[in-house]
Amino acid sequence: QCLLSGSWRSDTGCRMVVSTLDKDGRFFGSYLPSPGTGDSEILTSPLEGSQQDAGLVPQPTFSFTVHWQLQEAAQRTIFLGQCYVGTNGEEILHALWLLREATDSPTEDWKATR
């Protein structure tokens, strides 16, 4: 069974801690980018999301949002992925992400999403 609750580390050194999932699959936690990002202003940031019912699907999908705790910038990242159980029983997350920065006007919208 693949559950997101617990501590995770990405291939790039980012760290994520996820609280216990509630009965509806919702969870909260914290996210810290890897030291290699070079941005010393980024603090541990809150995350919230949901996971598909692992009782119904053995390798569930999930999504979560990170609201970055930055000094002067408003940014959010959305992660969307799936939790797999590997051949040795280890849980593995695969995810895509989009980072959105706030802009001052609609004409700057083109540069706001990475």
Side-chain angles (χ1 to χ4, degrees), residues 86-109:
T87 55
N88 296 330
E90 75 279 10
E91 296 170 327
I92 303 164
L93 304 182
H94 284 246
L96 299 171
W97 58 268
L98 289 172
L99 172 71
R100 178 68 187 206
E101 297 178 277
T103 61
D104 294 328
S105 70
T107 58
E108 297 176 338
D109 187 66

Side-chain angles (χ1 to χ4, degrees), residues 12-34:
T12 60
C14 298
R15 290 179 289 151
M16 175 174 75
V17 177
V18 175
S19 66
T20 304
L21 280 70
D22 70 13
K23 62 182 171 102
D24 295 323
R26 290 181 303 225
F27 59 87
F28 297 90
S30 59
Y31 192 92
L32 182 65
S34 69

